[in-house]
Amino acid sequence: MATIHVDGQRYTVNGAHNLLQACLSLGLDIPYFCWHPAMGSVGACRQCAVKQYKDKDDDKGMVVMSCMTPAADQTRIDIDDEEAKAFRASVVEWLMINHPHDCPVCEEGGHCHLQDMTVMTGHDRRRYRFRKRTRRNQYLGPFIAHEMNRCITCYRCVRFYNDYAGGTDLGAFGARDNVYFGRYEEGILESPFAGNLTEVCPTGVFTDQSHSERYTRKWDLQFAPGICHQCSMGCNISPGERYGELRRIENRYHGEVNGYFLCDRGRFGYGYVNRADRPRLPECRESSDSEPVTLEVDTALARISDALRHSRRVIGIGSPRASLESNHQLQALVGMEHFSTGIETREQACLDLMNHLQRHAGLPTPTLRDIEDHDAVLVLGEDPVQSAGRLGLSLRQAALARREALGETIGVPAWNAEALKTLAQDRYHPLFIAWPTATDLDDVAAARYALAPDDIARLGFAVAHRIDPAAPPAEGLSEGMADAAEAIAAALMEAERPLVVSGGSLGSEPVLEAAGNVARALSRRAKRGGMALIRREANSTGLSLMGGQPLDWALEELTNGHADALVVLENDLYQRLPRNTVDAALAQAEICVVLDHQRTATAKRAKFLLSAASFAEADGTLVNLEGRAQRFFQVYDPGYMRPESRIHESWRWLHAMAVNLQGERAGDITLDTVIAACVEAHPELGGMEEAAPASHYRIDGLQLAREPHRYSGRTSMRANQNVSEPRVPQDPDSAFAYSMEGYSGYHQPRQQVPFAWAPGWNSPQAWNKFTDEVGGHLRGGDPGVRLICPVPGQGHYSRPPQRAGDSPGLRALILPRLFGGEETSSLAMPIQKRTQTPSVTLSTDDAEHLSVRGGDTVTILGETLSVVQQDGWPNGWIGLPAGLFAGLLPGEPVTLDNSAGGAP
């Protein structure tokens, strides 16, 4: 810690920070542009000038850049010094010389950092009277719009894109006052984190293209704290709504999870919420070939209850993309003995194993923030950027953190970004990846091993044995793999905080057991390491903690005639098991009730379809891959702008079905009631009650506002329907109000912040006002509570499986895809435009055996795809893109129906 003096006041600050970060953490306002809490300082914009004095007797001082000056003990500065203020005002004027001053038409208006800083410096007159320089904009893809005329040359974009996220196709071209930020030629930005440019850029150069078509100013959007549903990371988001549509998603700061950044699937994959073909009313289909008929709620519930009451046995199928509350209500409806998780057998076995390893492998599961501090990483059987995007970005920071370690040895502070980059060059912390094809982290990896799933497991077992000889060895390793195991083990043992990453993408229990053995070996060698295990879907972890039979069991019960009724919760069964298996089971169901917010293949087979709410229209709890239970809240009431719709949370529908089935009248039910019932039924989920404040939570007697205080048009939102504006919806399920009335400040610490705003801070940089220190944690505590905690001890080592002989033919190796590999985001138009043309991957030997070459086309399960012939790809396996072959399971045999190069 250090004592500094600012404008005559004495403060205690973190001495490792620079003066800018220290002052912002104290709540003092200094304008800045190029500095960013996650990326450090480069001193490019010269906007954060302050007057610094040598000691208390110095009355002259000198102007310094606060972002490039350490917060050393006894530092004395003035922010309000007239010379410093005049310098800052002149800097803004220089930066704005070629800016078009087009705030009224700029999509950044209202949450623009440049606007905030211009006001803060007092610059309000244009004195430049000459022709402004104009630029030609580029097409950068479906996510990002480009307007170079607004650039102030802060270099944040290329620093994030290239230095932080590892992109290579965005650059700074030119020199001095003539610099262009873009691609060398027009084209889609390739980085899966490009969407963060919309928040990193302090001006309107990079804006949200998906928002442009239905643009709304920030102050006209209604928000709620949300959790991304597109993978198992549980990133915190701020979804914004207007006129009953989701208009955009921005990052919601979380000190332990996503920090300042999201992946592009989480940011742009929300389009399925707005689809015109969504079910908005209950529907009934009299026969499989008849058109559905819409019903009113009471009629639908009465008919469903009557049908279920006369059935012999009802099976309930849950979903890992539905909330804990909804899955629990389904369990309560059908009984635990009749409940299926809706997850295929092998995937469920992998989920149970991952839960076991998190408790008993001896190493804790780190947060994303912790992951960035690990100094050696082994990835077994995962492509983290594609399967859990935000995790991949943190793993990159873990490798890049070698810069800070090297800087510490010679006294370069961690915030001096350019000096550290120059010092480190291409030196990284060791990162080893065992995955059959190229990954987005290969450029910072020490090595990647292109292996088949079984060989990945054997490599992991060999590493564990070399760390701890008590761990069982893997027999029959090739010389190359033995050397690799030795190198990996040595790097993990030399590290202070090694990390093991694995997951269920390969559907392989041996791979997970191998990761568990490595973790146990490190734990027994007293290493302060960690282990992160990637799940497939948003609530895979939470649902596996609730228990239930796998999906295969449920379909067998129906096929064998042991049940005649089925209730399916937000789950497309055709995405999980082969079509003929699902068809045979559904054919035996006399009644099938589906609750979903999309018209899936399963929904089209339902007798009754209930219009479920999406994440933007519902409240609920998810558990992410680290075991953190987090609450998401309803952004808007779907019935307010569309009174004719009957969209409700699945847990509310299921409660109404249960009471109707018992012959009772459906009374009111609240989220707090459902959570309490869920905890009572599942003690292991007890912590979920603490994931967010209850509905009675108030600050100074006020609810929390969902809308900014400048929200306009609220009294005419439905004027096109009726001149008499109805009362705003009332929310009994949360502490939030559907209006701008309520608390929206930052002075009272709180966990659940729907949108970031503070006086003078309208941009995403306003999150600095809500944290204990800039880049730290929310002052009210980071949201969520851990449900999975390590148990003391390391458990027992697992034994490597016997090496199986080579099987004839090809087996499916499903490759996760960030774009197009997840069911719901794949329905969003921007994601569809960003999805690459799918292909199949074959080894050179297999391609020759099949008489095909790279570029030829083959037909697999009715899909015609081009062939990619890859050196190093494991023989006997065919790489297939996730999300394309619904129901195809990892490791299943695959037949090529035909090929351009000849018959297989």
Side-chain angles (χ1 to χ4, degrees):
M1 303 301 288
T3 298
I4 65 173
H5 302 265
V6 183
D7 292 328
Q9 300 295 316
R10 179 176 174 174
Y11 300 96
T12 300
V13 299
N14 187 337
H17 291 168
N18 57 47
L19 282 175
L20 175 60
Q21 184 169 1
C23 290
L24 291 173
S25 297
L26 293 171
L28 305 175
D29 289 344
I30 299 178
Y32 63 92
F33 288 120
C34 65
W35 178 80
H36 188 282
M39 296 185 290
S41 307
V42 292
C45 71
R46 323 305 289 172
Q47 181 62 81
C48 62
V50 297
K51 179 68 76 68
Q52 182 179 14
Y53 302 93
K54 295 180 181 179
D55 52 43
K56 63 181 180 180
D57 296 324
D58 182 5
D59 59 358
K60 292 184 178 180
M62 61 182 294
V63 173
V64 299
M65 301 307 119
S66 59
C67 75
M68 297 300 294
T69 307
D73 195 42
Q74 299 306 317
T75 297
R76 296 176 180 272
I77 62 170
D78 277 356
I79 299 172
D80 290 333
D81 176 80
E82 290 303 321
E83 184 183 359
K85 289 166 65 176
F87 185 93
R88 295 196 297 263
S90 65
V91 168
V92 167
E93 191 169 19
W94 302 335
L95 295 176
M96 297 284 284
I97 280 178
N98 287 297
H99 192 280
H101 292 79
D102 59 343
C103 300
V105 297
C106 177
E107 294 188 12
E108 197 76 1
H111 64 165
C112 174
H113 187 63
L114 176 59
Q115 284 180 334
D116 291 345
M117 299 299 98
T118 303
V119 172
M120 189 178 294
T121 55
H123 174 58
D124 59 0
R125 294 291 185 273
R126 283 184 289 173
R127 295 189 294 169
Y128 186 72
R129 293 293 180 262
F130 306 97
R131 182 185 296 274
K132 288 179 179 283
R133 181 184 59 221
T134 56
R135 302 288 199 182
R136 180 182 179 274
N137 302 319
Q138 292 182 321
Y139 171 75
L140 299 177
F143 295 161
I144 306 295
H146 190 225
E147 177 51 79
M148 255 307 295
N149 292 320
R150 299 173 184 145
C151 182
I152 60 169
T153 322
C154 72
Y155 288 89
R156 266 200 199 177
C157 57
V158 291
R159 290 181 58 220
F160 168 77
Y161 195 90
N162 300 335
D163 300 343
Y164 193 92
T168 58
D169 59 318
L170 182 74
F173 304 93
R176 296 191 297 275
D177 65 340
N178 187 21
V179 181
Y180 187 94
F181 295 90
R183 288 172 53 90
Y184 73 96
E185 64 178 4
E186 284 194 342
I188 296 174
L189 287 173
E190 297 171 0
S191 171
F193 307 101
N196 292 293
L197 293 176
T198 63
E199 294 185 37
V200 167
C201 176
T203 76
V205 176
F206 300 100
T207 54
D208 186 337
Q209 181 92 306
S210 69
H211 183 210
S212 300
E213 299 174 3
R214 303 181 313 281
Y215 181 73
T216 302
R217 295 288 187 202
K218 178 177 180 177
W219 61 70
D220 281 336
L221 290 172
Q222 180 168 260
F223 300 90
I227 303 297
C228 181
H229 279 53
Q230 267 56 81
C231 80
S232 62
M233 273 315 311
C235 293
N236 285 217
I237 56 175
S238 285
E241 171 268 349
R242 181 72 166 177
Y243 294 123
E245 284 187 335
L246 208 55
R247 297 296 177 92
R248 74 179 300 171
I249 283 178
E250 291 185 295
N251 183 73
R252 180 164 64 96
Y253 185 83
H254 191 295
E256 295 285 7
V257 184
N258 47 289
Y260 291 97
F261 306 122
L262 299 173
C263 76
D264 285 357
R265 181 162 80 185
R267 186 181 295 274
F268 301 110
Y270 63 86
Y272 62 94
V273 175
N274 299 330
R275 286 182 66 96
D277 62 350
R278 279 187 58 186
R280 301 185 185 276
L281 292 166
E283 295 177 1
C284 175
R285 196 186 298 268
E286 296 300 335
S287 63
S288 59
D289 56 354
S290 65
E291 289 297 316
V293 177
T294 60
L295 303 173
E296 273 302 319
V297 171
D298 290 342
T299 304
L301 290 173
R303 293 183 61 177
I304 292 171
S305 300
D306 184 63
L308 294 180
R309 192 177 294 114
H310 290 90
S311 62
R312 290 182 290 106
R313 185 185 179 204
V314 183
I315 294 289
I317 296 181
S319 171
R321 64 175 167 90
S323 66
L324 292 177
E325 292 83 356
S326 294
N327 279 290
H328 164 70
Q329 286 298 110
L330 180 57
Q331 287 183 349
L333 174 69
V334 301
M336 190 64 190
E337 65 276 16
H338 309 300
F339 175 77
S340 165
T341 59
I343 301 172
E344 178 265 333
T345 298
R346 281 187 297 168
E347 183 180 355
Q348 182 156 323
C350 287
L351 289 172
D352 292 339
L353 177 55
M354 284 188 268
N355 294 342
H356 174 78
L357 291 175
Q358 279 187 245
R359 291 188 177 103
H360 301 287
L363 293 183
T365 299
T367 65
L368 284 186
R369 187 188 192 94
D370 292 334
I371 283 173
E372 297 180 4
D373 290 332
H374 285 267
D375 53 353
V377 182
L378 170 62
V379 180
L380 285 175
E382 282 289 347
D383 182 353
V385 172
Q386 299 298 321
S387 56
R390 188 59 185 79
L391 174 62
L393 188 60
S394 287
L395 290 176
R396 177 175 291 276
Q397 306 322 304
L400 295 176
R402 177 81 184 279
R403 299 171 177 176
E404 297 180 14
L406 292 170
E408 187 176 0
T409 62
I410 61 172
V412 178
W415 47 261
N416 197 337
E418 197 63 26
L420 293 179
K421 179 182 172 184
T422 302
L423 173 65
Q425 299 295 318
D426 294 329
R427 291 181 286 180
Y428 311 109
H429 282 317
L431 167 62
F432 301 94
I433 303 171
W435 183 251
T437 189
T439 77
D440 294 86
L441 296 174
D442 286 0
D443 61 313
V444 293
R448 179 180 60 82
Y449 307 99
L451 301 172
D454 292 344
D455 291 329
I456 290 175
R458 297 174 67 246
L459 174 64
F461 282 111
V463 170
H465 176 68
R466 281 159 175 77
I467 294 172
D468 180 5
E475 304 295 342
L477 282 182
S478 67
E479 183 178 351
M481 282 300 94
D483 292 342
E486 195 69 45
I488 295 171
L492 294 178
M493 284 301 296
E494 289 174 7
E496 293 184 7
R497 299 190 66 190
L499 174 68
V500 183
V501 178
S502 189
S505 290
L506 296 176
S508 170
E509 289 185 68
V511 168
L512 292 170
E513 294 281 17
N517 269 21
V518 176
R520 290 187 180 100
L522 290 171
S523 175
R524 294 185 181 191
R525 298 295 294 270
K527 286 294 178 180
R528 297 186 304 112
M531 180 177 62
L533 301 173
I534 299 172
R535 279 73 161 181
R536 176 180 166 192
E537 292 172 86
N539 207 19
S540 293
T541 308
L543 184 56
S544 63
L545 293 174
M546 296 183 77
Q549 297 290 339
L551 177 60
D552 312 57
W553 166 87
L555 298 189
E556 286 176 9
E557 293 293 290
L558 287 164
T559 303
N560 296 333
H562 300 153
D564 59 345
L566 183 65
V567 180
V568 182
L569 168 65
E570 299 180 36
N571 200 337
D572 186 5
L573 310 185
Y574 289 94
Q575 294 286 329
R576 302 184 183 278
L577 286 174
R579 175 169 291 275
N580 57 352
T581 303
V582 181
D583 281 341
L586 295 182
Q588 297 300 314
E590 296 182 11
I591 174 173
C592 177
V593 182
V594 172
L595 300 89
D596 214 326
H597 47 77
Q598 302 298 321
R599 295 188 183 278
T600 64
T602 304
K604 293 176 182 177
R605 295 290 305 271
K607 182 176 179 62
F608 295 99
L609 174 60
L610 296 180
S611 43
S614 68
F615 76 92
E617 303 145 340
D619 305 278
T621 308
L622 303 176
V623 183
N624 75 348
L625 60 81
E626 59 175 304
R628 182 188 299 268
Q630 298 184 101
R631 191 81 30 82
F632 61 94
F633 294 95
Q634 193 176 44
V635 183
Y636 61 98
D637 181 350
Y640 184 69
M641 291 306 301
R642 296 185 177 88
E644 73 282 1
S645 68
R646 299 293 183 267
I647 295 175
H648 299 290
E649 297 100 329
S650 292
W651 52 263
R652 208 177 292 275
W653 278 118
L654 291 163
H655 167 74
M657 289 169 58
V659 295
N660 268 27
L661 199 58
Q662 297 165 4
E664 303 173 3
R665 290 192 60 182
D668 292 335
I669 185 173
T670 65
L671 181 67
D672 291 345
T673 304
V674 178
I675 291 173
C678 186
V679 168
E680 183 178 359
H682 304 280
E684 64 273 24
L685 301 178
M688 68 179 284
E689 288 183 298
E690 307 301 321
S695 59
H696 57 75
Y697 178 79
R698 299 291 185 272
I699 292 181
D700 295 335
L702 299 173
Q703 287 183 283
L704 307 180
R706 278 183 170 92
E707 300 167 359
H709 73 269
R710 292 179 295 169
Y711 191 93
S712 66
R714 186 173 65 80
T715 56
S716 59
M717 294 291 288
R718 287 177 49 180
N720 62 321
Q721 302 174 41
N722 195 317
V723 294
S724 176
E725 187 74 8
R727 182 190 186 195
V728 297
Q730 304 302 298
D731 187 0
D733 297 315
S734 78
F736 294 94
Y738 287 107
S739 72
M740 63 185 120
E741 291 86 13
Y743 187 79
S744 61
Y746 66 92
H747 294 290
Q748 297 293 335
R750 54 190 172 120
Q751 284 187 338
Q752 302 297 334
V753 185
F755 55 90
W757 176 87
W761 296 82
N762 298 277
S763 77
Q765 299 297 303
W767 286 112
N768 296 341
K769 294 292 187 180
F770 292 86
T771 52
D772 54 6
E773 65 178 24
V774 175
H777 304 271
L778 293 178
R779 287 192 286 122
D782 292 319
V785 60
R786 285 285 188 102
L787 301 184
I788 302 179
C789 298
V791 175
Q794 300 90 6
H796 302 288
Y797 283 121
S798 300
R799 301 202 64 82
Q802 295 295 321
R803 183 167 190 176
D806 294 334
S807 59
L810 296 172
R811 288 184 288 171
L813 201 159
I814 309 298
L815 299 174
R817 293 190 294 169
L818 193 68
F819 305 126
E822 190 272 329
E823 180 185 353
T824 54
S825 65
S826 299
L827 300 173
M829 188 61 67
I831 297 294
Q832 293 174 356
K833 292 179 180 178
R834 185 65 174 82
T835 302
Q836 294 181 344
T837 302
S839 59
V840 300
T841 306
L842 292 170
S843 70
T844 300
D845 291 344
D846 287 334
E848 290 179 358
H849 175 71
L850 297 168
S851 300
V852 297
R853 293 174 298 176
D856 289 349
T857 58
V858 296
T859 301
I860 302 174
L861 299 177
E863 297 284 347
T864 302
L865 306 171
S866 63
V867 173
V868 173
Q869 185 176 319
Q870 180 177 311
D871 292 335
W873 181 269
N875 290 330
W877 294 85
I878 179 169
L880 300 173
L884 188 64
F885 299 98
L888 182 65
L889 303 177
E892 282 194 346
V894 175
T895 301
L896 305 189
D897 297 330
N898 56 54
S899 71

